[in-house]
Amino acid sequence: QNELDALKDQINPHFLFNALNSIAELIHQDPNKAENAILKVSTFLRNTMEEKALILLDEEIRNVHDYVELENIRFSGQITFNIDSMMPHIYLPKFSLQLLVENAIKHGFQHGNALHISLTYNKKENALQLQNDGKPIISKKFGTGLSNLEQRLRLLCKGSVKITQMDKPTFAIYLGECYENIDR
């Protein structure tokens, strides 16, 4: 539990600092967009402040949509997030998809080009796959955020995260046995 708490404590500041940096850029460019961004950050944080380590995939997807809306304020609507219609009713560690979408935007977005991010589910492997059409991945080495996600997946679900394609950036979240950690 201590290890999970320490990992969780790394997540919220990571997102918040990135969001505040985005808003700081907007203040000088477009004060109305900056105000809208502050309200979106507030809504996003309110939706994600619950003390649950695992959340329903539907909740995580809703949070990702809010996050993409926030980033689209900064990037003039050039980011799309598409979801396969056949998503399962499953639990996963909070911020799993949000982190991968954040990384896609941070490392894959090229100014002047739209960024398309898609989410699919592979039932056979019990894996969520997140792919984008941004810049290719140049290193398989995980940074702080992905290492954190890898540890939370291992601890909460006996799962993992892997890069499955580098030229068209694709990540797979293998969910293992997350359902065992939910109080019903």
Side-chain angles (χ1 to χ4, degrees):
Q1 186 60 48
N2 288 341
E3 189 174 353
L4 279 173
D5 288 343
L7 291 168
K8 186 182 73 170
D9 289 344
Q10 291 176 4
I11 297 170
N12 288 337
H14 185 256
F15 162 74
L16 189 56
F17 294 143
N18 287 343
L20 291 174
N21 286 334
S22 297
I23 293 168
E25 290 177 27
L26 281 176
I27 288 172
H28 302 291
Q29 298 169 7
D30 190 335
N32 290 334
K33 278 187 178 181
E35 181 180 355
N36 190 20
I38 290 169
L39 294 173
K40 288 207 177 288
V41 167
S42 174
T43 300
F44 179 83
L45 290 175
R46 189 175 304 112
N47 291 337
T48 60
M49 293 304 257
E50 285 189 52
E51 291 293 323
K52 297 185 286 187
L54 296 171
I55 64 172
L56 281 169
L57 176 59
D58 289 346
E59 291 177 64
E60 180 75 0
I61 289 171
R62 191 171 40 253
N63 291 338
V64 170
H65 275 295
D66 289 345
Y67 176 77
V68 169
E69 279 186 41
L70 175 63
E71 288 295 69
N72 270 325
I73 293 168
R74 184 172 135 204
F75 295 115
S76 304
Q78 294 184 324
I79 302 164
T80 60
F81 179 57
N82 299 307
I83 300 149
D84 185 34
S85 61
M86 302 304 289
M87 286 290 137
H89 185 77
I90 56 173
Y91 289 89
L92 73 162
K94 189 191 303 186
F95 294 116
S96 298
L97 297 177
Q98 189 273 333
L99 174 77
L100 295 177
V101 169
E102 183 178 335
N103 276 351
I105 295 168
K106 181 179 177 183
H107 300 292
F109 186 79
Q110 300 174 45
H111 287 282
N113 295 328
L115 179 67
H116 305 283
I117 304 168
S118 62
L119 176 66
T120 57
Y121 178 69
N122 181 327
K123 185 176 182 176
K124 182 179 176 184
E125 295 184 0
N126 194 25
L128 294 164
Q129 294 185 333
L130 195 100
Q131 184 175 71
N132 73 78
D133 62 356
K135 293 186 240 177
I137 297 171
I138 55 174
S139 171
K140 282 198 170 201
K141 185 175 185 206
F142 286 178
T144 303
L146 288 173
S147 294
N148 178 308
L149 175 57
E150 175 78 10
Q151 290 175 323
R152 288 185 298 123
L153 281 163
R154 180 180 46 78
L155 289 169
L156 291 168
C157 304
K158 298 179 188 164
S160 63
V161 62
K162 304 258 187 284
I163 298 170
T164 58
Q165 193 173 344
M166 292 184 64
D167 57 328
K168 189 164 186 177
T170 307
F171 288 86
I173 295 176
Y174 299 95
L175 294 170
E177 301 172 358
C178 289
Y179 61 87
E180 290 182 357
N181 297 310
I182 301 297
D183 293 328
R184 295 205 156 129

